[in-house]
Amino acid sequence: MSQLSEFLSNNQNKNVEELKELLRIPSISSLSEHKEDVQKAASWILNKLKQIGMEHVEIIQTKGHPIIYADLIHQENAPTVLVYGHYDVQPVDPVNLWETPPFEPTIRDEKIFARGATDDKGQMFLHIKAVETLLELNGKLPVNIKFCIEGEEEIGSPNLPHFLTKSKEKLSCDVVVISDSDMWDKGIPAITYSLRGLCSLEVSLKTANSDLHSGMYGGGVQNANHLLVQLLSTLHDSNGKVNVEHFYDEVMVLTEFEKEQIKALGFDEEKLKKSLGLTDLVGGEKNHPYSERISSRPTLEINGLWGGFQGEGTKTVIPNEAHAKITCRLVNNQDPKKIQELVKKHLDEHAPKGCTVKVSVGDVGNPFLTPIDSPMIQKAAEAYKKVYEKSPVYKREGGSIPIVSDFSQILNVPVVLMGFGLPDENLHAPNEHFHLENFDKGILTICAFLELI
Ligand code: BES
Ligand code: MN
Ligand code: MN
């Protein structure tokens, strides 16, 4: 172990410089003007995987952004590990709030700042470095390894499920390992054993055939903004519960063990309020504690809302259309398609008098839940303990990585979510960063895991 850590600290500069190269490529998957940058990031990873000694390295083009595959299979009797990660990133706006530009990686206070630093280029890179380190020190790996790195996670992985199904043989393995989640807190590692799913919808509401003068018609005709607000307000009851019929039917309740574990971990609500600039933490269901509401309960959120006049000054108008974007976070065993239909049905049935409501359905992603006593998860826990000198916390994550459920179902193997991010690293927000402490410790933990299994 100490030989490893010495080797890593000697190489930290070089390793961080390499990560910076990848972070400089603006591989934003959702913006078509960055299509070539996404390709560039894929090529960069391809070259890196070749450089460290991976074999069968290839770029698989899809209808969208490419997938990278590589393997190194030389240990006949050892297990095979499949590493998944994503090299695409979220958009950077509002760009004026970044202290240093998002694609000019900068180190401050032992943290590396850039879009993708923690989600997920930085975390994905740890696996590349772990393999390189073990190969350089020992000339071989203790396991067989495969990489499957995609460029479309941030847009819901539209093309990866097809590749997984088609390449089941090629991707066959004993365990899938993913670092795209976070630790509990500084110095306290975590293994994520559940992720929430997702479904999205858009509502458009129309009234008259054009905007109307509010002096000539005001008081006489319906206003699209008012009707939309009225409709949306039927989606929750006064206790913060989602008011859509059958929404909660398949929701799994927490086990006593889980409830106790959440309690035992404690949660500093005061500190969180302060850091968020909030006076209260009162979103969602009143009769569930905060830490449950953000991890193991489903939600329905209005993400965007627009209609009528938004320009400078006043405009005395009665708008004739209004729109909203909605997503739900879902938990086991909710079926995202079914929930989407339930919400759509609710909106159609509650359409106020005097307007037409059109609801379109968008993306869906499955939730994920895995038992924490599986042998692979226990090995991961041992690895964390070795490096962080603390047993990891088992955590349910409120965010989503929809492809995880596909990996688990299509390949039919355990999935281990070993995160090295911290909860306050601003993923998807300005000033995203990754703690360098977890850069070296992350590589060490992954090396330890590969050796333990
Ligand atoms: N890595 C995140 C998911 C995540 C967030 C895990 C926080 C642990 C802690 C992932 O890249 C992500 O952002 N997922 C999206 C889903 C997607 C379909 C856009 C999400 O959760 O919104
Ligand atoms: Mn991610
Ligand atoms: Mn993300």
Side-chain angles (χ1 to χ4, degrees):
M1 204 68 203
S2 69
Q3 188 204 0
L4 246 178
S5 6
E6 198 186 313
F7 182 84
L8 279 176
S9 53
N10 290 339
N11 283 284
Q12 199 194 45
N13 253 341
K14 167 182 157 271
N15 289 345
V16 171
E17 284 310 311
E18 285 179 26
L19 174 59
K20 279 184 177 173
E21 284 176 23
L22 177 60
L23 291 172
R24 284 193 193 101
I25 308 172
S27 47
I28 305 171
S29 50
S30 63
L31 303 177
S32 50
E33 74 247 40
H34 285 286
K35 196 164 167 65
E36 273 185 28
D37 295 316
V38 182
Q39 293 279 345
K40 255 188 227 161
S43 309
W44 189 93
I45 294 164
L46 174 100
N47 287 329
K48 186 55 62 189
L49 288 169
K50 283 183 180 165
Q51 226 178 66
I52 66 164
M54 291 297 299
E55 298 174 342
H56 308 113
V57 188
E58 58 172 321
I59 286 194
I60 296 112
Q61 295 295 345
T62 70
K63 275 185 254 163
H65 303 303
I67 301 160
I68 301 146
Y69 174 85
D71 64 36
L72 194 62
I73 301 169
H74 290 286
Q75 311 305 322
E76 235 177 73
N77 296 316
T80 299
V81 176
L82 175 70
V83 176
Y84 163 82
H86 65 94
Y87 63 89
D88 63 322
V89 299
Q90 285 276 329
V92 295
D93 49 280
V95 74
N96 60 313
L97 294 184
W98 286 76
E99 280 178 39
T100 49
F103 298 110
E104 290 175 27
T106 310
I107 292 173
R108 289 194 294 280
D109 310 331
E110 325 254 299
K111 300 165 196 153
I112 181 162
F113 285 80
R115 172 57 86 230
T118 186
D119 184 14
D120 176 43
K121 287 172 173 172
Q123 293 202 58
M124 178 272 294
F125 194 58
L126 301 175
H127 291 267
I128 298 182
K129 283 288 138 185
V131 168
E132 178 187 53
T133 304
L134 290 175
L135 284 174
E136 284 196 12
L137 284 176
N138 309 329
K140 61 178 183 154
L141 295 182
V143 296
N144 300 303
I145 199 139
K146 299 179 178 179
F147 277 91
C148 172
I149 313 289
E150 74 155 323
E152 297 193 307
E153 195 277 341
E154 300 290 7
I155 51 172
S157 307
N159 294 296
L160 195 51
H162 174 69
F163 175 72
L164 296 190
T165 313
K166 198 182 69 180
S167 317
K168 239 173 109 165
E169 283 301 307
K170 181 169 170 153
L171 299 173
S172 69
C173 58
D174 298 291
V175 59
V176 177
V177 181
I178 304 174
S179 297
D180 188 23
S181 51
D182 46 21
M183 312 207 317
W184 182 253
D185 205 347
K186 221 172 157 29
I188 310 176
I191 293 176
T192 293
Y193 66 98
S194 112
L195 294 161
R196 286 198 281 196
L198 210 64
C199 71
S200 71
L201 303 104
E202 192 166 330
V203 200
S204 288
L205 184 151
K206 292 210 165 82
T207 54
N209 52 19
S210 86
D211 280 355
L212 297 171
H213 190 291
S214 76
M216 296 164 72
Y217 298 97
V221 299
Q222 56 275 40
N223 175 317
N225 278 349
H226 297 194
L227 296 187
L228 183 62
V229 170
Q230 193 183 318
L231 172 60
L232 296 177
S233 72
T234 65
L235 289 167
H236 294 89
D237 70 13
S238 56
N239 289 316
K241 271 195 129 52
V242 178
N243 207 15
V244 172
E245 226 182 314
H246 302 301
F247 185 84
Y248 292 96
D249 283 6
E250 329 286 342
V251 171
M252 266 176 81
V253 290
L254 291 179
T255 62
E256 283 311 310
F257 170 79
E258 288 180 293
K259 281 191 185 163
E260 264 169 41
Q261 151 118 7
I262 291 180
K263 237 193 237 155
L265 283 170
F267 186 77
D268 194 340
E269 296 203 9
E270 288 310 312
K271 186 173 147 203
L272 181 71
K273 275 192 241 174
K274 225 173 168 183
S275 83
L276 297 180
L278 289 173
T279 51
D280 297 284
L281 297 173
V282 289
E285 300 171 273
K286 273 188 190 148
N287 54 352
H288 290 269
Y290 177 83
S291 42
E292 252 179 68
R293 299 200 308 269
I294 60 155
S295 63
S296 48
R297 296 294 301 170
T299 66
L300 183 155
E301 303 278 352
I302 300 164
N303 308 113
L305 193 52
W306 68 103
F309 182 65
Q310 325 265 321
E312 193 180 343
T314 307
K315 189 178 182 199
T316 50
V317 65
I318 299 177
N320 73 330
E321 55 180 274
H323 308 264
K325 286 193 191 257
I326 296 173
T327 57
C328 297
R329 291 280 173 182
L330 306 172
V331 302
N332 286 77
N333 291 313
Q334 288 177 298
D335 172 354
K337 283 229 162 79
K338 214 160 134 188
I339 297 293
Q340 209 173 29
E341 284 310 315
L342 291 176
V343 176
K344 179 172 160 39
K345 184 163 170 265
H346 175 103
L347 290 166
D348 286 334
E349 285 178 3
H350 288 75
K353 207 173 161 194
C355 67
T356 54
V357 169
K358 284 222 164 74
V359 184
S360 57
V361 292
D363 297 337
V364 291
N366 283 322
F368 171 73
L369 179 66
T370 190
I372 60 174
D373 52 7
S374 80
M376 285 297 177
I377 287 195
Q378 289 312 309
K379 293 289 179 202
E382 250 181 82
Y384 272 119
K385 202 167 173 186
K386 227 168 153 177
V387 175
Y388 286 86
E389 289 165 356
K390 252 193 191 123
S391 292
V393 162
Y394 293 98
K395 128 174 209 193
R396 276 178 178 258
E397 172 54 54
S400 308
I401 313 175
I403 200 67
V404 171
S405 130
D406 296 73
F407 269 113
S408 139
Q409 284 173 22
I410 296 171
L411 302 182
N412 196 22
V413 292
V415 180
V416 182
L417 299 166
M418 295 178 84
F420 298 99
L422 285 177
D424 62 354
E425 288 181 330
N426 291 359
L427 47 162
H428 295 203
N431 305 310
E432 177 177 349
H433 57 276
F434 185 52
H435 282 63
L436 290 177
E437 178 196 342
N438 295 321
F439 187 83
D440 272 8
K441 285 193 175 163
I443 302 171
L444 279 173
T445 309
I446 293 164
C447 290
F449 175 74
L450 297 180
E451 269 162 359
L452 281 165
I453 63 167

